[in-house]
Amino acid sequence: ILFLAVNVLATASLRTARLDLTENALFTLSPGTVEVLEAIDEPVTLRLFISNQLTQGNPLFARYAARVSELLETYEKLSNGKLNVEVYHPEPYSTEEDIAVASGLRGLPYAEGESVYFGIFGSNSTDDEDKIGFMSPEREDFLEYDLTRLIYNLANPKKKVVGLLSSMPIYGTPQNQYRPWVVYTQMEQFFKVQTLFQ
């Protein structure tokens, strides 16, 4: 009876507590993420859309959806009430599906004319918006980065200006079909980049 009582108590009160024993501390939030969450001034709302058809029929997506939900719950607690997370389970031809489509989330074809959704739409108090159109398990290693970037962009809608002076072909070359370098695209996610010419 004592063992059963301890398990019930632990399940109820320690649901979000974790001990990270992985080699690279994959499940421990970075100090930068904690700093971003504690620095939120204005309320930020994240709407998580997860189709039940996707998680019920696919153990990979079910596990990943559980991890995303738990991580967002942790984010919400660390934000001192400034981050509000809402979870929707859009069914085909429902109001929740209409909201997901209007938010610009990308649906995956599932059955005849039906789509499933697994994405996040975020907004702040000044009507700025950002989203993760579809949360792929292939980007699980970057989950914390993607979520923190989304929240940071909504909490800091006015991007700082960065001047870029380079003689390197960072905007791309004919050989790579004029695709910019990764460092440039990463900078654009957080800053307004202005090119300075020599």
Side-chain angles (χ1 to χ4, degrees):
I1 293 174
L2 179 62
F3 177 74
L4 182 62
V6 167
N7 276 316
V8 169
L9 182 64
T11 301
S13 61
L14 301 175
R15 200 162 63 106
T16 58
R18 28 177 102 89
L19 178 62
D20 188 358
L21 299 176
T22 57
E23 184 177 350
N24 296 321
L26 294 175
F27 298 98
T28 302
L29 292 181
S30 68
T33 293
V34 175
E35 188 177 315
V36 166
L37 293 172
E38 290 175 348
I40 298 175
D41 289 330
E42 297 295 324
V44 172
T45 301
L46 296 183
R47 295 178 180 90
L48 173 63
F49 293 85
I50 306 174
S51 295
N52 289 329
Q53 298 92 329
L54 182 66
T55 56
Q56 290 170 355
N58 191 319
L60 175 66
F61 276 102
R63 184 189 60 77
Y64 188 47
R67 178 160 183 232
V68 170
S69 298
E70 289 173 4
L71 190 58
L72 285 174
E73 192 175 319
T74 303
Y75 275 38
E76 194 172 21
K77 287 181 180 175
L78 290 173
S79 70
N80 299 318
K82 295 294 186 177
L83 179 65
N84 180 35
V85 178
E86 301 171 0
V87 181
Y88 296 89
H89 299 282
E91 297 290 330
Y93 312 109
S94 66
T95 304
E96 286 84 5
E97 183 180 40
D98 292 341
I99 295 170
V101 171
S103 300
L105 300 186
R106 188 167 43 103
L108 286 184
Y110 178 71
E112 302 170 3
E114 297 179 359
S115 296
V116 290
Y117 298 88
F118 185 17
I120 297 178
F121 174 79
S123 60
N124 61 17
S125 58
T126 56
D127 296 330
D128 294 298
E129 301 174 348
D130 201 354
K131 66 181 178 289
I132 300 174
F134 188 82
M135 303 200 63
S136 171
E138 296 169 358
R139 284 194 58 84
E140 184 171 7
D141 291 343
F142 304 101
L143 176 61
E144 182 183 346
Y145 169 80
D146 290 339
L147 292 177
T148 304
R149 179 197 57 79
L150 179 71
I151 294 167
Y152 178 85
N153 286 345
L154 292 169
N156 303 281
K158 188 174 180 182
K159 293 183 177 181
K160 295 181 179 177
V161 179
V162 172
L164 184 62
L165 177 64
S166 175
S167 60
M168 304 291 288
I170 61 170
Y171 302 108
T173 61
Q175 288 80 16
N176 70 354
Q177 300 174 348
Y178 293 101
R179 282 188 304 240
W181 290 8
V182 175
V183 68
Y184 179 77
T185 57
Q186 293 292 319
M187 286 174 62
E188 281 190 316
Q189 290 182 0
F190 291 99
F191 304 103
K192 182 179 180 182
V193 180
Q194 288 187 348
T195 305
L196 305 176
F197 296 99
Q198 291 179 324

